[in-house]
Amino acid sequence: MVNSMDDHSIRRTAVIAAEPPMEKTSRPEHKQKAVDGSAVWSCNEWDPLEEVIIGNPLNARFPTPDVSTQVAEFPDRSLAEIPRGPFPQRVIEETEEDLNQFVETVEDLGVTVRRPHTWPHEATFSTIDWQSQGYYNYCPRDVMMVVGDQIIETPNVIRSRFQETYSYRALLMEYMASGARWISAPKPMLLDSLFEGIDMDRPTPRNDEPAFDAANVLRCGEDLIYLVSATGNEMGGQWLRSILGDRYRVHFLKGVYYGSHIDSTLVALRPGLVLANPSRLNDKTLPAILKQWKVIYSPPMENMDRYDAEYLSKCIGSDWIDMNAFSISPSLVIVDRHQPTLIHLLDQEGLDVIPLTLRHSKLLGGGPHCVTLDIRRKGTLERYFD
């Protein structure tokens, strides 16, 4: 069921229009629908996509080499060994080419695509405790999350991301005017003490204040799985639980993976089906609620020899970044074209696959799910687990 790039537009449009096959799951009678008029509505990772933000790589640079960057991205290196400065111009240009192809592919399906403003990430900014330069707008998934009609700015761990959502300010104002609820988490101080005395083999910011990236969260309707890792402390999940209220359940995933975000560890494909990373999870360590669903384990990542040693020495993402799939609907998913065995596995599960390429996903640390933020999906807020 892998679509060719010649005929994919017609076939994928038909996929979205059709009622997708779903495994039976436990659901309550009450279902909350989107707020009339609001541009923001997304309750999970798979409902049919209507509007999405896709990242902008212009002016991208490595995050400033400080303790926050060290913990979140390079825990195995000293500050002096962390790459610094702008990403190579060739990388920026090729990434923009790839993202433009991504945009065109999604727009062919009738999906509205928005892009963040270009930001001067080379500029220095500061608090009274530290100063930093910026990072990038390549991964909108990291700095904001949508829960129902709420769009939430998260208290990111890396100091270089402190002003990143300003690139989205015009969009956020527009979404608020449409009726969406716009929430910003308490701005973290990100003091050195937040990162002191932690085990760098299991790096997790101390619970001095809420600190987490939006991509630490996997949304499954009323249930959210929160990864405690280098980019999210437990207090961050507690804050999220407090702000969302009693209807939502936040489940902590701890002690399985410390590197960064959840979306190269777990990919929720549709109700009843989840893709898991076998190097980080097994049947015993899966989140308890996911044991109610069918779990398929990703095959090993392929074609890793496309990178040379010099390139790899600067990469932010792991090999598993190519597992980072993005769903257009419950039966259609975008996957990196370099992973034919994974594509075949998803095909066996009845999924149509759009194979696309992000040539520098490993260097920049972001695959198809990372470079997107689904703003509006057509669906209802439901409970999928007992």
Side-chain angles (χ1 to χ4, degrees):
M1 294 187 181
V2 180
N3 295 331
S4 73
M5 298 307 291
D6 294 325
D7 65 356
H8 67 265
S9 179
I10 295 175
R11 291 192 63 218
R12 284 180 285 158
T13 303
V15 169
I16 291 180
E19 183 68 20
M22 296 184 185
E23 286 85 349
K24 290 184 178 180
T25 55
S26 175
R27 304 185 184 187
E29 293 182 3
H30 174 67
K31 300 178 184 181
Q32 183 178 335
K33 296 182 179 180
V35 176
D36 289 342
S38 174
V40 174
W41 182 259
S42 181
C43 305
N44 53 54
E45 309 289 340
W46 58 76
D47 277 341
L49 185 66
E50 295 184 331
E51 181 167 337
V52 65
I53 297 174
I54 293 178
N56 174 352
L58 302 181
N59 295 338
R61 58 191 298 111
F62 288 98
T64 298
D66 57 30
V67 290
S68 70
T69 297
Q70 182 182 39
V71 167
E73 303 288 16
F74 300 101
D76 59 339
R77 305 189 192 187
S78 68
L79 292 178
E81 295 171 321
I82 294 174
R84 63 190 66 207
F87 289 101
Q89 188 58 31
R90 176 182 64 84
V91 169
I92 302 298
E93 292 172 359
E94 291 179 352
T95 299
E96 181 65 354
E97 289 175 6
D98 293 344
L99 289 175
N100 286 340
Q101 178 61 60
F102 200 122
V103 169
E104 182 181 337
T105 300
V106 173
E107 286 182 336
D108 282 348
L109 298 167
V111 176
T112 299
V113 177
R114 315 298 297 273
R115 307 290 295 274
H117 287 158
T118 300
W119 192 255
H121 293 295
E122 72 281 358
T124 299
F125 56 89
S126 67
T127 72
I128 61 173
D129 297 294
W130 49 262
Q131 69 176 24
S132 179
Q133 292 174 290
Y135 190 179
Y136 58 21
N137 297 119
Y138 176 67
C139 293
R141 181 75 56 181
D142 297 354
V143 296
M144 296 177 292
M145 61 184 299
V146 175
V147 182
D149 67 335
Q150 303 171 89
I151 188 163
I152 303 172
E153 295 182 67
T154 54
N156 296 91
V157 169
I158 297 175
R159 290 171 179 169
S160 287
R161 312 199 86 150
F162 202 74
Q163 295 186 348
E164 194 169 320
T165 56
Y166 291 165
S167 308
Y168 303 86
R169 184 54 58 97
L171 286 172
L172 289 165
M173 295 288 287
E174 179 183 326
Y175 293 145
M176 183 181 72
S178 77
R181 291 183 288 166
W182 172 17
I183 299 169
S184 181
K187 207 69 173 174
M189 295 180 71
L190 301 177
L191 303 178
D192 285 358
S193 57
L194 186 68
F195 308 100
E196 289 175 349
I198 65 176
D199 181 354
M200 293 302 274
D201 290 327
R202 298 182 295 174
T204 304
R206 296 164 56 90
N207 286 311
D208 295 349
E209 61 183 350
F212 71 98
D213 289 3
N216 277 60
V217 182
L218 182 72
R219 301 164 306 140
C220 299
E222 294 180 355
D223 290 275
L224 292 83
I225 301 173
Y226 180 98
L227 176 67
V228 177
S229 72
T231 51
N233 60 16
E234 194 161 346
M235 185 176 285
Q238 292 167 353
W239 175 85
L240 184 62
R241 177 182 283 165
S242 72
I243 205 71
L244 291 178
D246 293 339
R247 179 161 188 184
Y248 292 89
R249 303 184 296 187
V250 177
H251 308 265
F252 289 92
L253 178 58
K254 299 187 289 185
V256 297
Y257 170 61
Y258 294 90
S260 189
H261 302 142
I262 198 170
D263 50 3
S264 61
T265 299
L266 286 168
V267 180
L269 296 165
R270 64 174 180 243
L273 183 65
V274 65
L275 175 68
N277 184 328
S279 76
R280 301 171 188 168
L281 290 169
N282 55 49
D283 290 347
K284 292 182 179 180
T285 58
L286 277 171
I289 58 169
L290 291 183
K291 295 177 182 180
Q292 300 176 37
W293 284 12
K294 180 178 182 180
V295 178
I296 55 175
Y297 288 94
S298 174
M301 295 292 95
E302 300 172 277
N303 296 306
M304 292 296 108
D305 57 355
R306 65 188 190 268
Y307 307 113
D308 61 35
E310 173 64 20
Y311 186 94
L312 289 172
S313 70
K314 297 180 180 180
C315 285
I316 292 171
S318 74
D319 288 352
W320 291 99
I321 198 67
D322 284 356
M323 191 188 118
N324 184 263
F326 177 61
S327 291
I328 302 295
S329 78
S331 56
L332 181 64
V333 62
I334 293 175
V335 178
D336 191 282
R337 71 165 66 249
H338 291 99
Q339 303 306 321
T341 305
L342 174 58
I343 290 172
H344 179 67
L345 174 65
L346 298 178
D347 177 87
Q348 289 181 313
E349 294 297 331
L351 289 160
D352 277 321
V353 174
I354 306 171
L356 289 181
T357 296
L358 293 170
R359 279 169 279 182
H360 300 291
S361 60
K362 188 170 172 63
L363 178 61
L364 296 171
H369 191 259
C370 302
V371 303
T372 56
L373 178 65
D374 42 316
I375 292 296
R376 188 172 182 90
R377 291 182 181 271
K378 185 178 181 180
T380 56
L381 174 59
E382 303 182 32
R383 177 162 291 184
Y384 299 96
F385 304 98
D386 295 333

